Amino acid sequence: MNRQKIVETVGAQYHRPNIEEDEWSYAKDAGTLAILTEKLGGERPAHYKLDRRFTDSDDTGNYAVLIETKQNFTDSDTEQLKAYVEEEYALHRGMKVIAILANTNDDRIKVWKSEVDDEHFLPDETVLDSMEHYKKLFSADRQNDREKVMRNTYALNEMLHKKDIDERNRSQFVGTCLLFVKHEVERYGHGGRITDAMKEKLRERWYQFTPNQIRAAIGEVLEGLLDGSRNKELKIQLLKRDVLNDQKIKALTQSAWIEVLTDILMNIYRYIDANSSEGQDILNLFFITFNKYVGKADKNQAFTPDHITEFMTRMVDLTYKDVVLDECCGSGSFLVQAMVKELAAARHGRTEAEYRQIANHIKEHQIFGIENEEKAYGLATTNMLIHGDGNSNVEFGSCFNKERFIIDAKPTVMLMNPPYNAKPMSIPDRYKQDWTGKEKNGKSDPTKGMVFVKYLSDIAKKEDWDGVRLAVLLPMSAAIGTGNRLSDMKEALLRDNTLEAVVTLPSEIFYPGAAVQAVCMVFTLNRSHYLEGGRTPRKQTFFGYYKDDGFIKKKNLGRVEQFDNGHSRWKRIQQKWLDLYRNKTVEAGYSTMHSVTGADEWLAEAYMETDYSTLTDADFQQTINEYLSHLVKEGRAYED
């Protein structure tokens, strides 16, 4: 990038040359080289002619962008840039500095914030940007702290329990309170660093409100955020019913309201930078933590844990160009995970202006959901609002009545956790032609949720969509199933789609909610599993035995993520799971490859070599318990 292009990109109005060739001399800025040497404590600088210096000032501070150009910079050039930063601070105390090495032979850059060292290097800054963008890097005063947020979330849950806020409403309640706190910080705290001074300022403001006025203020914020949103009236109606007009929430005193809002401000929001992908992940984790029991009519239709949605989203190798659909979206966890991953991918290698344009397109045209239950639909609305998308394409109703919506969306990736015990009366007749009267009039879907996959498969085949990836969470019984109904469904799916992978997940991922054992299946739609004209698989399927995710059970909290010196065990485990799958690696005790048909069991346990060196008595007992539980559930054994 030539020097003139650098000036135009950062902003010519901010450029501050003071010697020849539009360069900047710290010696001239100081008056003389001798004075500069004195300012630096008596050490004469080896470098003091900076290629390009840009500055700006406003009520948030004084900013400087220092750029040193080279034909092809090397690591040794950082010492020269570091010298310029020291000189900048020596002559202009309190300056907020961005330091950049830039190539003139190409567009490669390296960027540091405040200091030129490993700790302050910004690896995501790969494209030269405007002064406005570099100033924004200093406005992110909230630093992500995943462990603190999770610990504080559990404490907040205990507080709400003591204040008698129903479990079924806690997620909606904390979500709307967080949106209100965010609005208050931006409007009355000037969006700055969350300090004790800001806390006292906001608390002083809130003490001027009665409880009714606080609820009204929250309602106004929500209505503003939902302006222009699909089904705005229904969303507002549900949020008022489940939060603002709930009797126990209406009974909160002024001091109780302020205690909750202050806790969210100081112990949650303060530790989340929502402008980063990590911060977006933490926001989702915070919100989903309260979704242990809410929104589903059946305990066996639990919400997908956040780390499992993240894992499944990564299994389908999402790009920022993908259009994502979840036809049973629940609280919107898959949609949020997909959006966060796409936004992070879109940010890399683009300027702020380029990114904003793509980000808006992702939110408006690439994320689609359907939800049939009012409580869950309200949760999805709140979840999307928290992540900055108030106009999400989430439809209310049965997915079986939304075929045109799905076709118009033209998804390239589908993610879902369908109901495992859906009422047969809710399933279209075309999928029940061979069902017995007992099955048609029964209490639950005999396909264990597979019918929802078949529905999408049929649409993909009819519309001739090629290569659409689908990851679905299903009960283990669907993978084991060799009875007529499940075998027929599995065979029908393989005739039209390729089964890429099946991974067995931890035994109690829904704890303390549903007790169902779950697997994740990955399909490529509209691409037959079999060679033409036969039942010979075209390729082997990957099977993973992913039973340990690094979480542990805690009373009243569910399964809790564990950290080693601040580092998540789950993040390390997830990477191994993904590496095994992507490389199709066979490892004893973890994974295998096998050719299967619809008549076979789709489980790693059926084909995998066991690593006996790691087995314990507890593992043996757990396996026996799981098998007995399965037999009882299938009606093949009975409890005394």
mmCIF file of all heavy atoms in Angstrom, residues 416-456:
data_model
loop_
_atom_site.group_PDB
_atom_site.id
_atom_site.type_symbol
_atom_site.label_atom_id
_atom_site.label_comp_id
_atom_site.label_asym_id
_atom_site.label_seq_id
_atom_site.Cartn_x
_atom_site.Cartn_y
_atom_site.Cartn_z
ATOM 1 N N MET A 416 -30.413 -28.156 14.243
ATOM 2 C CA MET A 416 -31.644 -28.255 15.034
ATOM 3 C C MET A 416 -31.561 -29.342 16.100
ATOM 4 O O MET A 416 -30.754 -30.267 16.023
ATOM 5 C CB MET A 416 -32.846 -28.518 14.132
ATOM 6 C CG MET A 416 -32.811 -29.825 13.386
ATOM 7 S SD MET A 416 -34.407 -30.126 12.571
ATOM 8 C CE MET A 416 -34.020 -31.594 11.616
ATOM 9 N N ASN A 417 -32.439 -29.157 17.093
ATOM 10 C CA ASN A 417 -32.708 -30.139 18.128
ATOM 11 C C ASN A 417 -34.226 -30.279 18.168
ATOM 12 O O ASN A 417 -34.907 -29.588 18.915
ATOM 13 C CB ASN A 417 -32.160 -29.660 19.474
ATOM 14 C CG ASN A 417 -32.546 -30.574 20.620
ATOM 15 O OD1 ASN A 417 -32.965 -31.716 20.413
ATOM 16 N ND2 ASN A 417 -32.426 -30.072 21.838
ATOM 17 N N PRO A 418 -34.802 -31.171 17.328
ATOM 18 C CA PRO A 418 -36.260 -31.257 17.228
ATOM 19 C C PRO A 418 -36.871 -31.924 18.445
ATOM 20 O O PRO A 418 -36.165 -32.579 19.227
ATOM 21 C CB PRO A 418 -36.461 -32.127 15.982
ATOM 22 C CG PRO A 418 -35.259 -33.014 15.965
ATOM 23 C CD PRO A 418 -34.119 -32.159 16.473
ATOM 24 N N PRO A 419 -38.189 -31.796 18.628
ATOM 25 C CA PRO A 419 -38.861 -32.521 19.718
ATOM 26 C C PRO A 419 -38.720 -34.029 19.520
ATOM 27 O O PRO A 419 -38.907 -34.530 18.417
ATOM 28 C CB PRO A 419 -40.325 -32.090 19.571
ATOM 29 C CG PRO A 419 -40.290 -30.837 18.759
ATOM 30 C CD PRO A 419 -39.113 -30.951 17.860
ATOM 31 N N TYR A 420 -38.363 -34.730 20.569
ATOM 32 C CA TYR A 420 -38.208 -36.181 20.472
ATOM 33 C C TYR A 420 -39.537 -36.903 20.689
ATOM 34 O O TYR A 420 -39.689 -38.052 20.292
ATOM 35 C CB TYR A 420 -37.202 -36.682 21.511
ATOM 36 C CG TYR A 420 -35.841 -36.032 21.428
ATOM 37 C CD1 TYR A 420 -34.993 -36.021 22.533
ATOM 38 C CD2 TYR A 420 -35.395 -35.417 20.259
ATOM 39 C CE1 TYR A 420 -33.743 -35.429 22.461
ATOM 40 C CE2 TYR A 420 -34.160 -34.818 20.182
ATOM 41 C CZ TYR A 420 -33.328 -34.823 21.296
ATOM 42 O OH TYR A 420 -32.093 -34.231 21.226
ATOM 43 N N ASN A 421 -40.475 -36.239 21.354
ATOM 44 C CA ASN A 421 -41.765 -36.849 21.656
ATOM 45 C C ASN A 421 -42.901 -35.960 21.162
ATOM 46 O O ASN A 421 -43.857 -35.693 21.873
ATOM 47 C CB ASN A 421 -41.905 -37.092 23.157
ATOM 48 C CG ASN A 421 -40.944 -38.157 23.650
ATOM 49 O OD1 ASN A 421 -40.744 -39.160 22.975
ATOM 50 N ND2 ASN A 421 -40.358 -37.943 24.809
ATOM 51 N N ALA A 422 -42.766 -35.496 19.917
ATOM 52 C CA ALA A 422 -43.813 -34.645 19.350
ATOM 53 C C ALA A 422 -45.125 -35.414 19.277
ATOM 54 O O ALA A 422 -45.147 -36.630 19.067
ATOM 55 C CB ALA A 422 -43.399 -34.176 17.959
ATOM 56 N N LYS A 423 -46.232 -34.711 19.446
ATOM 57 C CA LYS A 423 -47.552 -35.339 19.350
ATOM 58 C C LYS A 423 -47.796 -35.775 17.905
ATOM 59 O O LYS A 423 -47.653 -34.966 16.975
ATOM 60 C CB LYS A 423 -48.642 -34.360 19.778
ATOM 61 C CG LYS A 423 -48.495 -33.828 21.203
ATOM 62 C CD LYS A 423 -48.646 -34.919 22.239
ATOM 63 C CE LYS A 423 -48.571 -34.341 23.646
ATOM 64 N NZ LYS A 423 -48.590 -35.399 24.673
ATOM 65 N N PRO A 424 -48.177 -37.027 17.673
ATOM 66 C CA PRO A 424 -48.438 -37.487 16.309
ATOM 67 C C PRO A 424 -49.451 -36.623 15.564
ATOM 68 O O PRO A 424 -49.363 -36.466 14.348
ATOM 69 C CB PRO A 424 -48.966 -38.912 16.516
ATOM 70 C CG PRO A 424 -48.293 -39.360 17.774
ATOM 71 C CD PRO A 424 -48.253 -38.139 18.646
ATOM 72 N N MET A 425 -50.423 -36.034 16.303
ATOM 73 C CA MET A 425 -51.425 -35.211 15.647
ATOM 74 C C MET A 425 -50.809 -33.970 14.993
ATOM 75 O O MET A 425 -51.411 -33.378 14.088
ATOM 76 C CB MET A 425 -52.502 -34.779 16.652
ATOM 77 C CG MET A 425 -51.999 -33.921 17.789
ATOM 78 S SD MET A 425 -53.313 -33.430 18.938
ATOM 79 C CE MET A 425 -54.328 -32.421 17.879
ATOM 80 N N SER A 426 -49.600 -33.573 15.405
ATOM 81 C CA SER A 426 -48.947 -32.397 14.836
ATOM 82 C C SER A 426 -48.120 -32.729 13.601
ATOM 83 O O SER A 426 -47.594 -31.832 12.947
ATOM 84 C CB SER A 426 -48.054 -31.739 15.887
ATOM 85 O OG SER A 426 -46.942 -32.586 16.195
ATOM 86 N N ILE A 427 -48.005 -34.011 13.272
ATOM 87 C CA ILE A 427 -47.175 -34.458 12.153
ATOM 88 C C ILE A 427 -48.063 -34.682 10.929
ATOM 89 O O ILE A 427 -49.125 -35.297 11.032
ATOM 90 C CB ILE A 427 -46.431 -35.751 12.525
ATOM 91 C CG1 ILE A 427 -45.480 -35.479 13.705
ATOM 92 C CG2 ILE A 427 -45.650 -36.296 11.338
ATOM 93 C CD1 ILE A 427 -44.849 -36.724 14.289
ATOM 94 N N PRO A 428 -47.680 -34.183 9.749
ATOM 95 C CA PRO A 428 -48.518 -34.330 8.547
ATOM 96 C C PRO A 428 -48.842 -35.788 8.226
ATOM 97 O O PRO A 428 -48.033 -36.694 8.459
ATOM 98 C CB PRO A 428 -47.639 -33.707 7.444
ATOM 99 C CG PRO A 428 -46.750 -32.754 8.164
ATOM 100 C CD PRO A 428 -46.461 -33.390 9.485
ATOM 101 N N ASP A 429 -50.020 -35.995 7.654
ATOM 102 C CA ASP A 429 -50.489 -37.349 7.351
ATOM 103 C C ASP A 429 -49.566 -38.093 6.397
ATOM 104 O O ASP A 429 -49.469 -39.325 6.466
ATOM 105 C CB ASP A 429 -51.908 -37.286 6.757
ATOM 106 C CG ASP A 429 -52.956 -36.891 7.783
ATOM 107 O OD1 ASP A 429 -52.673 -37.039 8.997
ATOM 108 O OD2 ASP A 429 -54.034 -36.426 7.383
ATOM 109 N N ARG A 430 -48.902 -37.375 5.493
ATOM 110 C CA ARG A 430 -48.058 -38.066 4.510
ATOM 111 C C ARG A 430 -46.913 -38.829 5.159
ATOM 112 O O ARG A 430 -46.345 -39.731 4.546
ATOM 113 C CB ARG A 430 -47.514 -37.073 3.483
ATOM 114 C CG ARG A 430 -46.576 -36.010 4.028
ATOM 115 C CD ARG A 430 -46.156 -35.049 2.919
ATOM 116 N NE ARG A 430 -45.252 -33.998 3.352
ATOM 117 C CZ ARG A 430 -45.624 -32.853 3.885
ATOM 118 N NH1 ARG A 430 -46.926 -32.626 4.092
ATOM 119 N NH2 ARG A 430 -44.744 -31.934 4.224
ATOM 120 N N TYR A 431 -46.566 -38.468 6.402
ATOM 121 C CA TYR A 431 -45.495 -39.183 7.103
ATOM 122 C C TYR A 431 -46.053 -40.288 8.003
ATOM 123 O O TYR A 431 -45.282 -40.987 8.656
ATOM 124 C CB TYR A 431 -44.672 -38.209 7.948
ATOM 125 C CG TYR A 431 -43.904 -37.219 7.106
ATOM 126 C CD1 TYR A 431 -44.234 -35.869 7.110
ATOM 127 C CD2 TYR A 431 -42.860 -37.644 6.286
ATOM 128 C CE1 TYR A 431 -43.543 -34.958 6.321
ATOM 129 C CE2 TYR A 431 -42.168 -36.737 5.493
ATOM 130 C CZ TYR A 431 -42.513 -35.405 5.508
ATOM 131 O OH TYR A 431 -41.827 -34.512 4.728
ATOM 132 N N LYS A 432 -47.379 -40.445 8.014
ATOM 133 C CA LYS A 432 -47.991 -41.443 8.909
ATOM 134 C C LYS A 432 -48.785 -42.495 8.142
ATOM 135 O O LYS A 432 -49.592 -43.208 8.729
ATOM 136 C CB LYS A 432 -48.913 -40.733 9.909
ATOM 137 C CG LYS A 432 -48.207 -39.713 10.794
ATOM 138 C CD LYS A 432 -49.122 -39.103 11.830
ATOM 139 C CE LYS A 432 -50.163 -38.200 11.216
ATOM 140 N NZ LYS A 432 -50.919 -37.427 12.223
ATOM 141 N N GLN A 433 -48.560 -42.580 6.827
ATOM 142 C CA GLN A 433 -49.355 -43.487 6.006
ATOM 143 C C GLN A 433 -49.217 -44.944 6.449
ATOM 144 O O GLN A 433 -50.187 -45.712 6.363
ATOM 145 C CB GLN A 433 -48.942 -43.346 4.536
ATOM 146 C CG GLN A 433 -49.330 -41.997 3.946
ATOM 147 C CD GLN A 433 -48.870 -41.844 2.501
ATOM 148 O OE1 GLN A 433 -48.259 -42.754 1.941
ATOM 149 N NE2 GLN A 433 -49.158 -40.705 1.907
ATOM 150 N N ASP A 434 -48.029 -45.345 6.881
ATOM 151 C CA ASP A 434 -47.795 -46.734 7.272
ATOM 152 C C ASP A 434 -47.872 -46.943 8.786
ATOM 153 O O ASP A 434 -47.609 -48.036 9.273
ATOM 154 C CB ASP A 434 -46.424 -47.204 6.764
ATOM 155 C CG ASP A 434 -46.330 -47.155 5.254
ATOM 156 O OD1 ASP A 434 -47.361 -47.369 4.592
ATOM 157 O OD2 ASP A 434 -45.229 -46.888 4.736
ATOM 158 N N TRP A 435 -48.222 -45.899 9.517
ATOM 159 C CA TRP A 435 -48.284 -46.029 10.969
ATOM 160 C C TRP A 435 -49.541 -46.805 11.371
ATOM 161 O O TRP A 435 -50.576 -46.732 10.707
ATOM 162 C CB TRP A 435 -48.330 -44.654 11.635
ATOM 163 C CG TRP A 435 -47.051 -43.868 11.522
ATOM 164 C CD1 TRP A 435 -46.012 -44.098 10.682
ATOM 165 C CD2 TRP A 435 -46.719 -42.699 12.269
ATOM 166 N NE1 TRP A 435 -45.034 -43.150 10.839
ATOM 167 C CE2 TRP A 435 -45.443 -42.277 11.817
ATOM 168 C CE3 TRP A 435 -47.348 -41.971 13.262
ATOM 169 C CZ2 TRP A 435 -44.798 -41.161 12.332
ATOM 170 C CZ3 TRP A 435 -46.711 -40.848 13.787
ATOM 171 C CH2 TRP A 435 -45.439 -40.455 13.323
ATOM 172 N N THR A 436 -49.434 -47.517 12.465
ATOM 173 C CA THR A 436 -50.601 -48.206 13.002
ATOM 174 C C THR A 436 -51.507 -47.191 13.682
ATOM 175 O O THR A 436 -51.111 -46.057 13.971
ATOM 176 C CB THR A 436 -50.179 -49.268 14.025
ATOM 177 O OG1 THR A 436 -49.591 -48.610 15.161
ATOM 178 C CG2 THR A 436 -49.175 -50.251 13.422
ATOM 179 N N GLY A 437 -52.743 -47.622 13.951
ATOM 180 C CA GLY A 437 -53.674 -46.735 14.649
ATOM 181 C C GLY A 437 -53.161 -46.334 16.007
ATOM 182 O O GLY A 437 -53.328 -45.189 16.448
ATOM 183 N N LYS A 438 -52.476 -47.273 16.677
ATOM 184 C CA LYS A 438 -51.923 -46.977 17.998
ATOM 185 C C LYS A 438 -50.853 -45.899 17.907
ATOM 186 O O LYS A 438 -50.766 -45.012 18.770
ATOM 187 C CB LYS A 438 -51.333 -48.252 18.604
ATOM 188 C CG LYS A 438 -50.756 -48.068 19.988
ATOM 189 C CD LYS A 438 -50.207 -49.381 20.526
ATOM 190 C CE LYS A 438 -49.607 -49.191 21.924
ATOM 191 N NZ LYS A 438 -49.053 -50.462 22.451
ATOM 192 N N GLU A 439 -50.041 -45.934 16.838
ATOM 193 C CA GLU A 439 -48.981 -44.931 16.657
ATOM 194 C C GLU A 439 -49.570 -43.572 16.303
ATOM 195 O O GLU A 439 -49.136 -42.535 16.811
ATOM 196 C CB GLU A 439 -48.006 -45.392 15.576
ATOM 197 C CG GLU A 439 -47.142 -46.569 15.980
ATOM 198 C CD GLU A 439 -46.339 -47.122 14.817
ATOM 199 O OE1 GLU A 439 -46.838 -47.079 13.672
ATOM 200 O OE2 GLU A 439 -45.217 -47.605 15.063
ATOM 201 N N LYS A 440 -50.580 -43.593 15.428
ATOM 202 C CA LYS A 440 -51.182 -42.329 15.004
ATOM 203 C C LYS A 440 -51.891 -41.614 16.145
ATOM 204 O O LYS A 440 -51.956 -40.386 16.176
ATOM 205 C CB LYS A 440 -52.171 -42.576 13.866
ATOM 206 C CG LYS A 440 -51.524 -42.972 12.546
ATOM 207 C CD LYS A 440 -52.580 -43.182 11.468
ATOM 208 C CE LYS A 440 -51.948 -43.560 10.146
ATOM 209 N NZ LYS A 440 -52.953 -43.803 9.088
ATOM 210 N N ASN A 441 -52.437 -42.404 17.055
ATOM 211 C CA ASN A 441 -53.194 -41.818 18.164
ATOM 212 C C ASN A 441 -52.422 -41.833 19.482
ATOM 213 O O ASN A 441 -52.987 -41.594 20.539
ATOM 214 C CB ASN A 441 -54.516 -42.572 18.339
ATOM 215 C CG ASN A 441 -55.370 -42.515 17.093
ATOM 216 O OD1 ASN A 441 -55.534 -41.449 16.507
ATOM 217 N ND2 ASN A 441 -55.902 -43.666 16.673
ATOM 218 N N GLY A 442 -51.132 -42.127 19.388
ATOM 219 C CA GLY A 442 -50.323 -42.237 20.588
ATOM 220 C C GLY A 442 -49.904 -40.890 21.152
ATOM 221 O O GLY A 442 -50.296 -39.821 20.661
ATOM 222 N N LYS A 443 -49.074 -40.959 22.173
ATOM 223 C CA LYS A 443 -48.645 -39.746 22.858
ATOM 224 C C LYS A 443 -47.362 -39.146 22.286
ATOM 225 O O LYS A 443 -47.049 -37.993 22.543
ATOM 226 C CB LYS A 443 -48.442 -40.040 24.350
ATOM 227 C CG LYS A 443 -49.724 -40.389 25.090
ATOM 228 C CD LYS A 443 -49.449 -40.608 26.565
ATOM 229 C CE LYS A 443 -50.732 -40.915 27.325
ATOM 230 N NZ LYS A 443 -50.461 -41.140 28.775
ATOM 231 N N SER A 444 -46.588 -39.960 21.519
ATOM 232 C CA SER A 444 -45.311 -39.435 21.049
ATOM 233 C C SER A 444 -44.953 -39.992 19.676
ATOM 234 O O SER A 444 -45.454 -41.032 19.249
ATOM 235 C CB SER A 444 -44.197 -39.772 22.047
ATOM 236 O OG SER A 444 -44.024 -41.176 22.152
ATOM 237 N N ASP A 445 -44.072 -39.294 19.007
ATOM 238 C CA ASP A 445 -43.601 -39.613 17.664
ATOM 239 C C ASP A 445 -42.751 -40.889 17.686
ATOM 240 O O ASP A 445 -41.687 -40.907 18.318
ATOM 241 C CB ASP A 445 -42.778 -38.411 17.164
ATOM 242 C CG ASP A 445 -41.936 -38.725 15.953
ATOM 243 O OD1 ASP A 445 -42.283 -39.653 15.212
ATOM 244 O OD2 ASP A 445 -40.928 -38.012 15.760
ATOM 245 N N PRO A 446 -43.160 -41.959 17.001
ATOM 246 C CA PRO A 446 -42.382 -43.203 17.023
ATOM 247 C C PRO A 446 -41.062 -43.112 16.279
ATOM 248 O O PRO A 446 -40.212 -43.992 16.420
ATOM 249 C CB PRO A 446 -43.319 -44.215 16.353
ATOM 250 C CG PRO A 446 -44.206 -43.399 15.478
ATOM 251 C CD PRO A 446 -44.404 -42.105 16.220
ATOM 252 N N THR A 447 -40.844 -42.028 15.491
ATOM 253 C CA THR A 447 -39.563 -41.871 14.787
ATOM 254 C C THR A 447 -38.519 -41.161 15.646
ATOM 255 O O THR A 447 -37.404 -40.937 15.201
ATOM 256 C CB THR A 447 -39.740 -41.088 13.474
ATOM 257 O OG1 THR A 447 -39.950 -39.698 13.758
ATOM 258 C CG2 THR A 447 -40.893 -41.630 12.655
ATOM 259 N N LYS A 448 -38.899 -40.797 16.881
ATOM 260 C CA LYS A 448 -37.979 -40.151 17.829
ATOM 261 C C LYS A 448 -37.372 -38.854 17.284
ATOM 262 O O LYS A 448 -36.217 -38.528 17.561
ATOM 263 C CB LYS A 448 -36.858 -41.109 18.229
ATOM 264 C CG LYS A 448 -37.331 -42.466 18.730
ATOM 265 C CD LYS A 448 -38.177 -42.341 19.970
ATOM 266 C CE LYS A 448 -38.599 -43.705 20.500
ATOM 267 N NZ LYS A 448 -39.505 -43.597 21.659
ATOM 268 N N GLY A 449 -38.140 -38.120 16.494
ATOM 269 C CA GLY A 449 -37.660 -36.851 15.950
ATOM 270 C C GLY A 449 -37.117 -36.946 14.543
ATOM 271 O O GLY A 449 -36.870 -35.920 13.899
ATOM 272 N N MET A 450 -36.931 -38.170 14.034
ATOM 273 C CA MET A 450 -36.389 -38.352 12.687
ATOM 274 C C MET A 450 -37.298 -37.749 11.614
ATOM 275 O O MET A 450 -36.835 -37.344 10.550
ATOM 276 C CB MET A 450 -36.200 -39.840 12.394
ATOM 277 C CG MET A 450 -34.983 -40.464 13.048
ATOM 278 S SD MET A 450 -33.490 -40.075 12.103
ATOM 279 C CE MET A 450 -32.433 -41.427 12.644
ATOM 280 N N VAL A 451 -38.617 -37.671 11.889
ATOM 281 C CA VAL A 451 -39.546 -37.137 10.904
ATOM 282 C C VAL A 451 -39.223 -35.682 10.572
ATOM 283 O O VAL A 451 -39.456 -35.220 9.437
ATOM 284 C CB VAL A 451 -41.006 -37.283 11.401
ATOM 285 C CG1 VAL A 451 -41.266 -36.400 12.610
ATOM 286 C CG2 VAL A 451 -41.983 -36.973 10.274
ATOM 287 N N PHE A 452 -38.657 -34.939 11.525
ATOM 288 C CA PHE A 452 -38.290 -33.547 11.257
ATOM 289 C C PHE A 452 -37.113 -33.468 10.273
ATOM 290 O O PHE A 452 -37.033 -32.543 9.466
ATOM 291 C CB PHE A 452 -37.933 -32.837 12.572
ATOM 292 C CG PHE A 452 -39.117 -32.598 13.460
ATOM 293 C CD1 PHE A 452 -39.524 -33.557 14.377
ATOM 294 C CD2 PHE A 452 -39.841 -31.425 13.381
ATOM 295 C CE1 PHE A 452 -40.627 -33.349 15.192
ATOM 296 C CE2 PHE A 452 -40.939 -31.188 14.193
ATOM 297 C CZ PHE A 452 -41.339 -32.168 15.098
ATOM 298 N N VAL A 453 -36.222 -34.446 10.359
ATOM 299 C CA VAL A 453 -35.111 -34.520 9.402
ATOM 300 C C VAL A 453 -35.655 -34.900 8.023
ATOM 301 O O VAL A 453 -35.253 -34.335 7.007
ATOM 302 C CB VAL A 453 -34.062 -35.548 9.863
ATOM 303 C CG1 VAL A 453 -32.895 -35.611 8.878
ATOM 304 C CG2 VAL A 453 -33.547 -35.209 11.259
ATOM 305 N N LYS A 454 -36.585 -35.874 7.992
ATOM 306 C CA LYS A 454 -37.162 -36.314 6.713
ATOM 307 C C LYS A 454 -37.893 -35.178 6.019
ATOM 308 O O LYS A 454 -37.844 -35.028 4.787
ATOM 309 C CB LYS A 454 -38.131 -37.474 6.968
ATOM 310 C CG LYS A 454 -38.701 -38.110 5.686
ATOM 311 C CD LYS A 454 -37.611 -38.765 4.879
ATOM 312 C CE LYS A 454 -38.185 -39.635 3.747
ATOM 313 N NZ LYS A 454 -38.910 -38.898 2.722
ATOM 314 N N TYR A 455 -38.573 -34.347 6.793
ATOM 315 C CA TYR A 455 -39.291 -33.199 6.229
ATOM 316 C C TYR A 455 -38.330 -32.263 5.496
ATOM 317 O O TYR A 455 -38.589 -31.853 4.349
ATOM 318 C CB TYR A 455 -40.014 -32.470 7.360
ATOM 319 C CG TYR A 455 -40.670 -31.159 6.976
ATOM 320 C CD1 TYR A 455 -41.694 -31.104 6.049
ATOM 321 C CD2 TYR A 455 -40.256 -29.974 7.581
ATOM 322 C CE1 TYR A 455 -42.305 -29.900 5.718
ATOM 323 C CE2 TYR A 455 -40.860 -28.767 7.268
ATOM 324 C CZ TYR A 455 -41.878 -28.732 6.330
ATOM 325 O OH TYR A 455 -42.476 -27.542 6.011
ATOM 326 N N LEU A 456 -37.204 -31.940 6.117
ATOM 327 C CA LEU A 456 -36.214 -31.083 5.468
ATOM 328 C C LEU A 456 -35.569 -31.789 4.276
ATOM 329 O O LEU A 456 -35.269 -31.167 3.252
ATOM 330 C CB LEU A 456 -35.139 -30.664 6.475
ATOM 331 C CG LEU A 456 -35.612 -29.734 7.597
ATOM 332 C CD1 LEU A 456 -34.470 -29.449 8.562
ATOM 333 C CD2 LEU A 456 -36.169 -28.429 7.036
#
